Amino acid sequence: MRHLKYLLPALVGLAFLGGWEWIVRANAIPPYILPGPVLVARTLARDWNSLSVSLLVTLQITFAALVVAAALGLLLAVLFSQSRLLELSLFPYAVVLQVTPIVAVAPLIIIWVEDVRVALLICAWIVAFFPILSNTTLGLNSTDRNLEDLFRLYGATRWQKLWRLRLPTALPYFLAGLRISGGLSLIGAIAAEFVAGTGGAASGLAYRIMEAGFQLQIPRMFAALALICFTGILIYLALSLVSHLMLRRWHESER
């Protein structure tokens, strides 16, 4: 059953790519309308030098935003768990931050912040922040009441209850939020790059997509899109591996 977890998605993906290639060849669809996956792969290999540099630029923003989102999300969640009044006061604004479309606020952020890199980081952070905050807050508030009574019976301090009971309980929730935010931080970085439209040698993948679209280099556009998809999958798999390694010895979800 464990092998099917990886085998079935791989088979579906291969079938999709094979069907895509067959449709393109059977209908003689020109590459400037819909390139086949073989042509996309060749374009990716040919333009790897420029696309890989842009990928590194996007990844720098993505991982920086994820780290900041994880740190601030965890910190605020801990504060919320210690003060119900603080949670009731601030959590609605975190919801507002989450439901506001990033494409609507990104132009304002780019105008207000002089450094484009910092502006892109803020945009990506906004997208990635809420899942970590909400999941971790839920985990910290899901502590077994019987265990809390036991800690209270033995005279545990608030710090001891937080460190030895609440944080371990919230760890699976935090890691689940981290897996979600990993992909969202990439999406936020790409969306912000689209709005910023920064070019040059230090431009991200979003600019490469726009550049290819303006020049009608559709295979190159698909190659950049494929690179974004693969990167998102790798980020999710890497964070899933981290979650597995941290939880496999004691939590039911990884057994």
Side-chain angles (χ1 to χ4, degrees):
M1 185 63 68
R2 180 175 296 181
H3 297 294
L4 291 178
K5 179 181 178 181
Y6 304 101
L7 181 60
L8 291 178
L11 292 176
V12 171
L14 289 175
F16 172 77
L17 293 176
W20 176 6
E21 184 69 26
W22 178 81
I23 290 174
V24 170
R25 292 177 181 268
N27 295 279
I29 300 176
Y32 58 83
I33 294 179
L34 180 64
V38 174
L39 179 57
V40 172
R42 290 175 180 170
T43 305
L44 180 59
R46 184 194 67 201
D47 297 340
W48 174 252
N49 289 335
S50 61
L51 291 177
S52 61
V53 173
S54 297
L55 174 63
L56 290 177
V57 173
T58 300
L59 283 180
Q60 289 175 359
I61 299 169
T62 299
F63 287 127
L66 183 60
V67 170
V68 175
L72 291 181
L74 179 60
L75 177 61
L76 272 179
V78 170
L79 293 177
F80 287 170
S81 70
Q82 300 302 304
S83 173
R84 180 65 175 169
L85 185 62
L86 187 64
E87 180 182 356
L88 292 175
S89 301
L90 297 183
F91 195 82
Y93 294 100
V95 176
V96 171
L97 200 65
Q98 171 67 15
V99 300
T100 303
I102 189 61
V103 293
V105 298
L108 295 175
I109 295 174
I110 292 171
I111 292 173
W112 292 336
V113 180
E114 294 183 1
D115 192 323
V116 176
R117 287 291 187 89
V118 176
L120 297 179
L121 173 61
I122 294 173
C123 293
W125 169 79
I126 289 175
V127 178
F129 171 68
F130 185 77
I132 295 176
L133 174 64
S134 60
N135 276 32
T136 309
T137 302
L138 176 62
L140 290 169
N141 292 332
S142 300
T143 307
D144 191 325
R145 300 305 175 190
N146 294 321
L147 291 177
E148 285 193 350
D149 292 339
L150 180 63
F151 270 65
R152 191 178 301 110
L153 179 65
Y154 281 95
T157 63
R158 174 176 289 191
W159 168 254
Q160 288 174 326
K161 285 192 290 185
L162 174 65
W163 181 252
R164 296 182 179 274
L165 179 60
R166 286 196 161 192
L167 285 177
T169 301
L171 182 60
Y173 295 84
F174 170 76
L175 293 173
L178 196 65
R179 289 198 301 270
I180 298 171
S181 294
L184 290 179
S185 60
L186 178 62
I187 294 173
I190 295 294
E193 287 175 354
F194 268 116
V195 175
T198 53
S203 57
L205 282 175
Y207 179 78
R208 297 303 173 196
I209 293 174
M210 291 189 295
E211 180 185 52
F214 294 148
Q215 299 174 358
L216 289 181
Q217 296 178 348
I218 307 304
R220 181 181 171 90
M221 179 188 294
F222 271 81
L225 286 171
L227 198 54
I228 292 173
C229 292
F230 292 146
T231 302
I233 293 172
L234 289 177
I235 291 174
Y236 181 83
L237 291 177
L239 293 175
S240 297
L241 178 60
V242 171
S243 177
H244 174 72
L245 293 176
M246 296 184 70
L247 301 178
R248 62 178 178 175
R249 295 189 177 183
W250 63 277
H251 198 264
E252 294 82 358
S253 64
E254 296 295 340
R255 290 182 179 177

